[in-house]
Amino acid sequence: MDKFRGLFPAAITPMAGDGEGFDEVAFRKVLEFNIQSGVHGFWLAGGTGESVMLDDEENRQLATAAVDQNRGRVANIMHVGTPTTKRSARLAEHAARAGVEAICCVPPFFYGRTDDEIVEHYRIVGEAADLPLFVYNLPHMTGVEITVDLMHKIQDKVPRLEGLKHSSVNFRNVDAFAQMGLTCFIGSSALMLPALTLGAVGCVDGPPIMAPEFWTEIWNAYQEGDGERAKAAQRRANDVVSLAMAIGGRFHAIVKVVLSHRLGIDCGAPRAPGLPLTEEQRRQIVRDADQLGLGPVEVAP
């Protein structure tokens, strides 16, 4: 579907200063900043949104707030993945009632599952929402690789399957998934441009949420057939990816610091056991962000 193409930043979940409460006001401002920067949609409550750290009520609040804030201007893909099929189905039902355009879901994780169990999980979750469903292929976190063979099995048994976010090192599978007629988003923003040339419909990843203008430039240049401009934009965007990964394991804290700096808000700390940056680290990240052109911005009401 045309609504599922382009840049879909993976949204953060701003927390109160101690990391223990969903900050809806800050969340809405982050979304609005991205919408005004030209994004095409959002991937909500995924890995960047600290999905596994949210309780179910926070997940529901997030879905409701996103739909209300976005008002149909962009598409919302709401993550509903949990370790159990029952919980995931309930979150899918709520996401549909809230008015999101699609849902996404990691495979059931922690315990090793057979292909049949994974397929059945997706079938039940998809039916619960009766919305387009995206599989979330995140093997380095879930321990489950969505292979081409497994994707064929899901495609055969899950009527609402729309596509997937492909966050695997098996980059060549982008082409294979596209050849299957699936809507395939690349899950690495450092590879957005090469993925587009292989049939990806766009990009879903965390770094673009703090610098959407860098990735909308890639998209716009590619759509206009300006390859050199697109390559230059991807190189600039990759500097932002490096910033997001500058302090190993502190991705959530870095992205929240940069967004707080750019938008003049407090996106809070990661949820425990995640730790905030030290004051020295925070100052360095802000300096580096400014050098990349990620300074404060004005967001229209």
Side-chain angles (χ1 to χ4, degrees), residues 112-181:
R113 298 296 180 187
T114 67
D115 284 3
D116 287 345
E117 289 172 325
I118 293 169
V119 170
E120 183 67 1
H121 176 81
Y122 279 120
R123 185 190 66 78
I124 293 171
V125 172
E127 287 183 357
D130 195 25
L131 287 172
L133 167 68
F134 286 85
V135 170
Y136 190 175
N137 189 22
L138 192 68
H140 61 286
M141 294 292 188
T142 64
V144 180
E145 172 79 32
I146 305 295
T147 63
V148 173
D149 180 62
L150 177 53
M151 204 65 196
H152 274 295
K153 295 176 183 178
I154 296 170
Q155 191 175 39
D156 288 343
K157 300 289 186 178
V158 181
R160 295 315 312 265
L161 178 69
E162 172 71 25
L164 75 160
K165 174 190 175 184
H166 184 54
S167 299
S168 168
V169 296
N170 293 319
F171 184 70
R172 66 185 183 276
N173 284 352
V174 170
D175 178 62
F177 293 136
Q179 292 298 321
M180 291 168 62

Side-chain angles (χ1 to χ4, degrees), residues 203-287:
C203 176
V204 171
D205 200 9
I209 196 72
M210 66 181 186
E213 64 271 39
F214 283 60
W215 277 270
T216 56
E217 172 67 4
I218 298 170
W219 176 258
N220 292 336
Y222 184 76
Q223 296 304 308
E224 294 165 15
D226 192 337
E228 291 304 313
R229 180 174 141 221
K231 285 190 287 186
Q234 182 71 75
R235 293 189 192 100
R236 290 191 297 271
N238 286 357
D239 289 335
V240 178
V241 175
S242 296
L243 174 65
M245 306 299 179
I247 305 171
R250 308 300 294 280
F251 169 79
H252 293 102
I254 291 171
V255 175
K256 289 184 175 186
V257 164
V258 173
L259 277 166
S260 297
H261 171 60
R262 298 200 76 188
L263 303 182
I265 57 178
D266 182 4
C267 291
R271 179 155 290 178
L275 294 173
L277 301 185
T278 66
E279 185 57 28
E280 180 180 352
Q281 289 170 333
R282 189 197 68 78
R283 287 196 297 268
Q284 184 61 55
I285 290 297
V286 168
R287 285 195 295 268

